[in-house]
């Protein structure tokens, strides 16, 4: 089970306070989509709330939002492992995912904006226990390769205040 307890999660240096009204409890084989306007705090939530709360219990593979920086790290990691670093970003990500060996939780922060739909499909995300995705693209339909889908909506009622309300919705199965 991938879990985060209901409660308030302050991130003082970012000036944000996340309010999760109910426990986040996702069974293995779940897709979790984080949705919200630009500046709602999705990446900050990933890096300062979700990842720290999961890393002691789960193996995490994180593909960050800024792929221009991360692809250099991916190339260096593959080189240190004696593996070839493909030129295209999609092939590089696939090679890095494969080399990493982690098959528990993959976190994709706006990674879909770098790939075409077939390239995204080629990542074979169903081999992970959980997929967490930040995306501004349209809400996906049910994925036959993952039995459950959820969306965590980020709502900042007042951009001048720190509160970010997190609402969980089941996407599939209905």
């Amino acid at each position: 089970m991938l879990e985060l307890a209901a409660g308030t999660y302050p991130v003082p240096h970012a000036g944000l306070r996340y309010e999760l009204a109910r426990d986040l409890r996702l069974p293995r084989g779940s897709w979790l989509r984080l949705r919200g306007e630009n500046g709602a705090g999705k990446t900050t939530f990933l890096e300062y709330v979700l990842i720290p709360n999961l890393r002691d219990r789960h193996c995490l593979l994180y593909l960050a939002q800024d792929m221009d920086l991360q692809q250099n790290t991916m190339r260096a990691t593959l080189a240190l492992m004696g593996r070839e670093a493909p030129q295209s970003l999609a092939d590089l990500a696939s090679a890095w995912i494969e080399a990493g060996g982690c098959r528990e939780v993959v976190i994709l922060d706006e990674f879909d904006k770098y790939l075409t739909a077939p390239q995204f499909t080629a990542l074979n995300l169903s081999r992970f226990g959980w997929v967490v995705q930040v995306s501004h693209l349209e809400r996906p339909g049910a994925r036959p390769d993952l039995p459950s889908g959820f969306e965590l909506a980020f709502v900042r009622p007042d951009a001048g205040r720190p509160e970010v309300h997190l609402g969980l919705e089941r996407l599939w199965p209905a």
Side-chain angles (χ1 to χ4, degrees):
M1 190 71 63
L2 187 120
E3 299 175 291
L4 183 64
T8 300
Y9 295 90
V11 182
H13 77 275
L16 296 172
R17 187 171 55 243
Y18 297 96
E19 316 239 346
L20 182 61
R22 62 181 210 192
D23 290 345
L24 177 70
R25 300 194 57 183
L26 306 181
R28 188 175 253 318
S30 292
W31 182 283
L32 175 64
R33 180 174 190 261
L34 278 56
R35 178 185 55 82
E37 298 294 322
N38 281 332
K42 299 175 298 296
T43 298
T44 300
F45 175 79
L46 274 178
E47 294 178 353
Y48 294 97
V49 177
L50 192 61
I51 289 173
N53 279 281
L54 297 179
R55 72 174 156 225
D56 290 340
R57 295 176 310 229
H58 299 282
C59 175
L60 307 175
L61 182 60
Y62 180 32
L63 290 142
Q65 188 176 63
D66 190 346
M67 286 307 299
D68 292 331
L69 294 175
Q70 189 166 3
Q71 67 179 305
N72 294 330
T73 300
M74 291 176 4
R75 289 182 197 290
T77 301
L78 290 169
L80 287 170
M81 297 174 85
R83 297 186 181 216
E84 183 180 334
Q87 289 303 307
S88 82
L89 184 58
D91 292 338
L92 178 63
S94 290
W96 190 68
I97 287 170
E98 195 60 43
C102 174
R103 297 293 177 266
E104 199 169 354
V105 180
V106 64
I107 300 169
L108 308 168
D109 190 354
E110 293 190 36
F111 190 70
D112 52 353
K113 71 183 178 185
Y114 295 99
L115 306 177
T116 64
Q119 289 171 324
F120 196 76
T121 300
L123 293 177
N124 191 19
L125 298 175
S126 62
R127 62 185 154 168
F128 289 90
W130 293 271
V131 177
V132 178
Q133 179 188 25
V134 175
S135 180
H136 291 285
L137 302 180
E138 271 188 48
R139 177 187 281 182
R143 294 183 55 106
D145 54 341
L146 292 163
S148 303
F150 299 88
E151 183 171 81
L152 191 61
F154 287 65
V155 178
R156 284 187 79 178
D158 180 351
R161 301 195 36 89
E163 290 82 16
V164 180
H165 300 284
L166 304 175
L168 185 64
E169 177 184 350
R170 176 181 286 276
L171 300 177
W172 73 83

